[in-house]
Each structure stands twice: as structure tokens, then as C-alpha cells.
Amino acid sequence: MHMSKGVEWAIHTLLNLSMLGDDDPVGSAQLAAGHGLPVAYLNKQLQLLVKAELLTSSPGPRGGFRLARDPDSITLLDVVLAIEGNESLFRCTEIRQCGKIAELHTGGNDSAACAVKRAMYRADLAWREALATQKLSDVRRELDMDDPAVTRTVRRVFGRE
Amino acid sequence: MHMSKGVEWAIHTLLNLSMLGDDDPVGSAQLAAGHGLPVAYLNKQLQLLVKAELLTSSPGPRGGFRLARDPDSITLLDVVLAIEGNESLFRCTEIRQCGKIAELHTGGNDSAACAVKRAMYRADLAWREALATQKLSDVRRELDMDDPAVTRTVRRVFGRE
DNA sequence: GGGTGTTTACTCGGATATACGATGTCCGAGTATGAGTGG
DNA sequence: CCACTCATACTCGGACATCGTATATCCGAGTAAACACCC
């Protein structure tokens, strides 16, 4: 029931990129080395971010990844959906319409979604709302408050100063 | 990233039990037949509910499961935690303390939880809050509003009238 | 007839296989770079 | 000296293994009921 590790990786990677300005693209190898991650698998996740239009990629020498939008217009929900897909946490398999109960209960209106589904979806919605109201820029600001020096360190690791 | 099917099964099963009153226990075979579920696996989930003290079990002939508490004091969060465990959706593996960035950044204060973790946990909390504010009795009431006849059908399937 | 011991059948409970998705790895397609060459 | 061509090395992108968890199944331990038997 846990989320993929890719979400954590993606968020940290996006944050790192947001600290560099839009100078030059950064290769997946460098991004992975920054946090000691397996290069190829991180690359897989980055491709998902490209597909979701959160990153842009450039091939060839001096190629790599770059933020596609301002950190102010990227929410945590965007990142989670990009990596995990748009399906909801709870999946209703309509078991209410199977088995003896359903067989004996012919008169019901199947049109309305079952109450269990609706209740669980309300919780899903609250979760998504909480993710959608937190922008990448907010997280970065909070991160700077904790430790203002980290931005310079990141810039140095990626050879920006 | 989906939740276990067991959650859906558990909620429907608990709802069915809540419609019977506290007359007699119901065996896992009957409960499974009600929705066409695999008996042995449903039984596994029911044991989790027993361990979480949402159900009580009686062995031997005419044994089975019974609600341990009033549906008014069981929340959807209780059910989810019983089946899925108490771990949060997002698991922080502290990658910020690995790799080149961490090696070069010696001065940071590791004591504070990282901002990413905190942000994701806020969303987790909103989700749990939304689950905790929905009681089993609420869902059942909503279900009755949709189709008042279903309770009688359930009682009939389990031989209560 | 009533009480008691025993058998029995039914229940839960946990140990054991299988399937699917997350995780991790690898190699090929494509391109910007830079060198080399000719004008 | 400049423009063009070509080889090159580096990048992303997607196809291929491996691992862990969710799913599904099975069999044994335990118990309450029912029966037979004895008092």
C-alpha cells in the first residue's frame, strides 16, 4: 500500500533542479549521484516526469533534464500523479453486485455508485486536495528555512559555482 | 500504490454484520458467499479485524464472527489501519542524507525531519482525518438512503428472517 | 429421566504456494558536439 | 579563414531480468454441540 520510492526521488530531484536556475540541463547520472540513487531507475522516473510535462529533456552531449515550468506552478499532486498514475487509492470492484446478496436483490438501482465507494473517494479527494495545495516552491521555501546553506551546496555539487 | 482488496471486502462485511443485530455469529463461508469472495482469503482479512478488535470470533459449530463494537464507534480509518497496517502512505528513506550532496554538506542539522517528509505527511494526515470522520454507521445510513430494501435482503441471505 | 463422558463435525488460525507489480539493469536510437577537410 | 561533412561520444528512451508484496490456498488445533451411555 506504500507509494513508490520514485515519488520521493522525483520530489528531491525537482527541488534540486529548482535551485540551479534554468542555466543548463543536468544529466540523470549527475542527478542520481547527488543522492546516491541507481542511475537507470531514476532515469525511468524522470521519463515519467517528462511525459507529465514537468520536465523537458535534451539528448546528446551536454544534454539532460530541465524544469519545464516554474516551481510555483508545480504541485505535489502533479508529481505524485506523474509517478503513480491517476488512479485513486481505493479501487471499487463492485463486489456488492456479486454473490448471493446480489442474486437475491434484483430490485436495486445499480446506477448510483455504491456508498462505500463514495465514502472512500471522499477521503481520496481530501488527500489530493492536501497535495494540490502544496507547491514545489512552498516546499523549497520551507527547506531553505530549515537550512539556508543547502542551496549553495546543491549548486556546487552540480558545478554551478 | 493501490490499497488491498481486503479493505473493500472488510468494509462490506462489517456493514453486512451491522445489519443483523448481535444475534448469532456468522461463519466466514457465509460471509464470503454473500459477495462471491474466496473464502480462505476473506478469512485471513477477518482475522486482521479480530486482531484490531473490530470483530470477535467464536470457534466450533455455530461459531463465526460478530461485531465487537457498535457501528457508531468504528471509523473507516479503523478498518483501513486494521487491514493495511499503521504505516503512512509516504515513506521517507532519507535520501537527502545520501550521495554527494550529503557528503559535501556537513553542517546541516539532521535532527529536523526533512521538509519533503513533512509536506507529504500533512497530506497523509488529511487523508486519515477524512477517513476518521466517517463512521461505519454513517456509511450504512447512506446505503439505506440509496436503497432501503438492501438490509432485508442481507438479513434473508444470512437466514435471519 | 437426568447427568456425564465421548465422539463428531464444524469453526477459526496460521503455515504454505502463486501472481502481479515495483524495483533494478541493460542495450539501442538519436543528436549535439567537435574534429577534419576542402574551398 | 570559413563553411561543410563526417565520425564520435554522450544523452535519453524503452525493452529486459529480479525481487518483494498482495493474493490465493491448504491443512491442523481447538471447541461447542450432539449423541450415546450409565446412574
Side-chain angles (χ1 to χ4, degrees):
Chain A
M1 155 77 165
H2 298 116
M3 314 186 45
S4 163
K5 291 185 188 177
V7 173
E8 184 184 11
W9 302 0
I11 295 176
H12 279 281
T13 300
L14 289 171
L15 285 171
N16 288 340
L17 284 173
S18 81
M19 296 176 185
L20 302 182
D22 285 330
D23 311 308
D24 282 322
V26 185
S28 54
Q30 291 186 61
L31 291 169
H35 287 299
L37 304 175
V39 183
Y41 190 36
L42 175 66
N43 190 21
K44 195 191 189 83
Q45 316 289 355
L46 295 180
Q47 287 169 36
L48 292 174
L49 295 179
V50 170
K51 199 165 293 182
E53 300 185 351
L54 302 182
L55 289 181
T56 58
S57 63
S58 322
R62 289 196 58 78
F65 296 91
R66 204 179 337 206
L67 278 185
R69 308 192 225 148
D70 200 77
D72 197 39
S73 69
I74 296 179
T75 70
L76 291 183
L77 181 64
D78 294 329
V79 183
V80 171
L81 293 187
I83 302 293
E84 296 286 345
N86 200 164
E87 294 171 16
S88 72
L89 292 176
F90 178 81
R91 53 184 161 177
C92 174
T93 56
E94 290 291 336
I95 64 171
R96 64 162 180 167
Q97 294 180 3
C98 306
K100 287 190 178 176
I101 293 176
E103 290 167 12
L104 196 61
H105 190 73
T106 53
N109 58 339
D110 304 348
S111 56
C114 89
V116 174
K117 184 179 185 174
R118 295 203 304 269
M120 295 301 286
Y121 278 14
R122 280 193 287 269
D124 265 29
L125 211 62
W127 181 62
R128 292 183 174 220
E129 183 83 13
L131 287 174
T133 52
Q134 300 193 73
K135 302 177 209 163
L136 209 61
S137 53
D138 298 329
V139 178
R140 180 169 167 214
R141 186 161 26 244
E142 206 169 328
L143 200 143
D144 279 335
M145 296 268 286
D146 288 346
D147 185 352
V150 73
T151 297
R152 261 196 91 186
T153 303
V154 170
R155 292 182 63 82
R156 227 176 330 203
V157 166
F158 293 128
R160 286 302 189 275
E161 34 183 273
Chain B
M1 156 75 164
H2 297 120
M3 314 186 44
S4 163
K5 291 185 187 177
V7 173
E8 184 184 11
W9 301 1
I11 295 175
H12 280 281
T13 301
L14 289 170
L15 285 171
N16 287 340
L17 284 173
S18 81
M19 296 174 183
L20 302 181
D22 285 330
D23 311 307
D24 282 322
V26 184
S28 54
Q30 292 186 60
L31 290 169
H35 287 298
L37 304 174
V39 183
Y41 190 37
L42 174 66
N43 189 21
K44 194 191 189 81
Q45 316 288 355
L46 296 180
Q47 286 169 36
L48 291 175
L49 296 178
V50 170
K51 198 165 291 181
E53 299 185 354
L54 302 182
L55 290 182
T56 58
S57 63
S58 322
R62 290 198 56 79
F65 296 91
R66 206 179 336 206
L67 279 184
R69 308 190 223 150
D70 198 78
D72 198 38
S73 69
I74 297 178
T75 71
L76 290 183
L77 182 62
D78 293 329
V79 183
V80 171
L81 292 187
I83 302 292
E84 296 286 345
N86 199 164
E87 294 171 14
S88 72
L89 293 177
F90 178 83
R91 53 183 162 177
C92 174
T93 56
E94 290 291 336
I95 64 172
R96 64 163 178 165
Q97 293 181 4
C98 307
K100 287 191 178 176
I101 293 176
E103 290 168 12
L104 196 59
H105 189 74
T106 52
N109 57 338
D110 304 348
S111 56
C114 87
V116 174
K117 184 179 186 175
R118 295 202 305 268
M120 295 302 287
Y121 278 12
R122 280 194 286 269
D124 265 28
L125 211 62
W127 181 62
R128 293 182 175 222
E129 182 84 12
L131 287 174
T133 52
Q134 301 193 74
K135 303 177 209 164
L136 208 61
S137 52
D138 299 329
V139 178
R140 181 171 165 213
R141 187 161 25 245
E142 207 170 326
L143 200 144
D144 280 334
M145 298 267 287
D146 288 345
D147 184 353
V150 72
T151 298
R152 263 197 89 187
T153 303
V154 171
R155 291 182 63 81
R156 229 176 329 205
V157 166
F158 292 129
R160 287 302 190 275
E161 31 182 278

